[in-house]
């Protein structure tokens, strides 16, 4: 089969590799769609922290936002899985440690992260082998496009829920990228008045096109009481701004990661009686995200600007927009395209 591989920072190949076989407890999936995300770009540039911490090494096969159809299963797996349309959890815990036993496999110290951490090959390939325990079935109303948006949507849903907004509350999202826009969609579905802060006219215009009326540059955010602020950016200075902007007794949610350490003044946190929450991983939010997509309460399709084949992935990771791409922040890959 064909698979995309990073061999070094900025270096890549589309290879012919052996098709995966389902080990006991595993399924082999025919991949239909894969999303390219900021984590993949960090591996492409060599900036990803896991590379420097020894959790990831080149060569590596990327791809952790995906959807497909089960083609085969290994020993010990119900054959009824074959033919099901699925997406999968990125976080694969060891299953034996205290965290895994408590249902927190996404923070397992020994976890693999599909296409990210450990030696589990990612989904930028025609087929993928994964533990069947990581699979989530997609209903007919959730096609491959939506299926490959479940993983980023799960992160966003968890961030929106952590904000604990009530109907009529005012929430501010910092960073109108894929995660930030998804957070805004889930907050809007919860009944909040949603504001977004971004850096470029193009990103703010796109957010307006999604129906978000309150969009601002950093120097123009109005002096309104924000009951919750979600930092979905990669800017090191914005965690502090989020804390400054949130109302006393409000909530700040951190789902974005900067390339360098951020600082907040915990005196401000305490004196404002603010609750701060960090979000890592979509794992606890996957099923609820699938339901939201299925019932139409959140529709992230406009976020996808283009769909390319494996041969175009390297160009996208290098920061080049595919010809004819729309204004959305997300590029999808269909490994079946030549």
């Amino acid at each position: 089969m064909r698979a995309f591989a990073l061999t070094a920072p900025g270096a890549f190949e589309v290879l012919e590799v052996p098709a995966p076989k389902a080990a006991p407890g595993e399924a082999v999936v025919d991949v239909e769609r894969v999303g390219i995300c900021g984590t993949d770009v960090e591996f492409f540039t060599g900036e990803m922290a896991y590379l420097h911490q020894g959790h990831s090494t080149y060569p590596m096969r990327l791809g952790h936002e995906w959807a497909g159809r089960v083609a085969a299963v290994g020993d010990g797996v119900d054959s009824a899985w074959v033919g099901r349309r699925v997406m999968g959890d990125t976080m694969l815990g060891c299953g034996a440690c205290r965290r895994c036993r408590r249902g927190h496999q996404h923070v397992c110290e020994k976890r693999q992260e599909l296409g990210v951490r450990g030696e589990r090959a990612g989904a930028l390939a025609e087929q993928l082998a994964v533990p069947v325990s990581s699979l989530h079935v997609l209903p007919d109303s959730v096609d491959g496009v939506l299926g490959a948006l479940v993983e980023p949507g799960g992160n966003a849903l968890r961030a929106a829920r952590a904000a604990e907004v009530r109907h009529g509350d005012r929430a501010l999202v910092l960073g109108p990228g894929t995660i930030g826009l998804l957070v805004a969609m889930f907050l809007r579905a919860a009944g909040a008045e949603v504001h977004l802060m971004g850096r470029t006219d193009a990103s703010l215009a796109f957010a307006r096109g999604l129906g978000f009326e309150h969009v601002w540059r950093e120097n123009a955010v109005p002096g309104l009481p924000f009951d919750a602020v979600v930092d979905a950016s990669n800017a090191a200075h914005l965690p502090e701004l989020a804390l400054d902007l949130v109302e006393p007794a409000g909530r700040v949610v951190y789902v974005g990661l900067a390339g360098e350490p951020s600082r907040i003044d915990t005196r401000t946190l305490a004196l404002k009686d603010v609750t701060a929450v960090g979000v890592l991983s979509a794992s606890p939010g996957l099923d609820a995200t699938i339901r939201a997509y299925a019932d139409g309460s959140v529709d992230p399709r406009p976020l996808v600007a283009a769909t390319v084949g494996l041969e175009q992935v390297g160009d996208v990771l290098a920061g080049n927009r595919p010809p004819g791409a729309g204004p959305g922040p997300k590029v999808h890959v269909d490994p079946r395209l030549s």
Side-chain angles (χ1 to χ4, degrees):
M1 70 171 186
R2 294 182 308 140
F4 178 87
L6 272 183
T7 55
F12 57 90
E13 294 181 84
V14 177
L15 304 172
E16 288 286 336
V17 300
K21 297 186 182 298
E26 289 188 345
V28 170
V29 178
D30 291 330
V31 180
E32 296 175 356
R33 285 292 178 105
V34 190
I36 297 176
C37 97
T39 299
D40 301 321
V41 174
E42 289 184 2
F43 279 120
F44 182 83
T45 62
E47 296 171 344
M48 176 60 183
Y50 282 175
L51 291 168
H52 309 290
Q53 295 167 348
H55 295 309
S56 307
T57 57
Y58 301 109
M60 62 185 305
R61 301 229 310 259
L62 301 175
H64 61 278
E65 304 174 1
W66 63 271
R69 189 179 297 272
V70 176
V73 295
D75 291 343
V77 179
D78 188 341
S79 61
W81 277 100
V82 176
R84 288 177 178 169
R85 297 182 52 259
V86 295
M87 62 76 58
D89 196 343
T90 299
M91 305 301 212
L92 308 176
C94 72
C97 70
R98 182 176 186 270
R99 296 174 191 173
C100 286
R101 294 196 308 270
R102 291 166 64 89
H104 305 314
Q105 96 287 341
H106 61 292
V107 289
C108 170
E109 186 67 28
K110 299 177 182 178
R111 71 184 181 275
Q112 292 183 322
E113 298 179 27
L114 188 82
V116 175
R117 169 175 164 150
E119 299 179 354
R120 178 73 67 167
L124 282 173
E126 293 176 324
Q127 289 190 315
L128 171 72
V130 290
V132 74
S133 60
S134 71
L135 296 180
H136 295 253
V137 176
L138 300 176
D140 292 341
S141 56
V142 177
D143 63 9
V145 176
L146 290 175
L149 287 164
V150 170
E151 198 278 341
N155 281 280
L157 176 141
R158 291 190 63 215
R161 286 185 169 178
E164 291 192 357
V165 295
R166 295 170 291 187
H167 189 83
D169 281 358
R170 183 180 292 114
L172 174 64
V173 179
L174 310 182
T178 297
I179 297 296
L181 290 169
L182 283 165
V183 172
M185 290 178 177
F186 281 109
L187 290 169
R188 180 170 61 185
E193 176 188 304
V194 181
H195 295 241
L196 287 121
M197 190 194 85
R199 294 184 300 177
T200 69
D201 291 338
S203 66
L204 296 177
F206 181 69
R208 285 193 195 94
L210 296 175
F212 294 104
E213 300 177 9
H214 310 293
V215 297
W216 316 101
R217 291 288 197 115
E218 183 173 342
N219 61 359
V221 176
L224 297 171
F226 294 106
D227 303 294
V229 179
V230 180
D231 176 21
S233 77
N234 60 1
H237 72 286
L238 290 186
E240 181 180 18
L241 180 63
L243 182 57
D244 289 342
L245 292 174
V246 74
E247 272 285 274
R251 296 177 73 87
V252 175
V253 182
Y254 296 113
V255 66
L257 291 174
E260 58 188 84
S262 299
R263 298 283 187 265
I264 63 170
D265 190 335
T266 56
R267 294 172 298 182
T268 304
L269 185 76
L271 293 172
K272 291 180 71 172
D273 199 26
V274 166
T275 300
V277 182
V279 172
L280 170 73
S281 167
S283 301
L286 295 174
D287 287 332
T289 301
I290 292 170
R291 290 193 296 271
Y293 291 176
D295 66 23
S297 56
V298 170
D299 180 9
R301 294 174 193 273
L303 303 185
V304 180
T307 301
V308 301
L310 291 172
E311 286 75 11
Q312 290 76 51
V313 170
D315 206 35
V316 173
L317 291 173
N320 299 311
R321 299 282 287 181
K330 177 65 68 175
V331 173
H332 272 179
V333 180
D334 184 342
R336 301 166 297 183
L337 295 177
S338 58

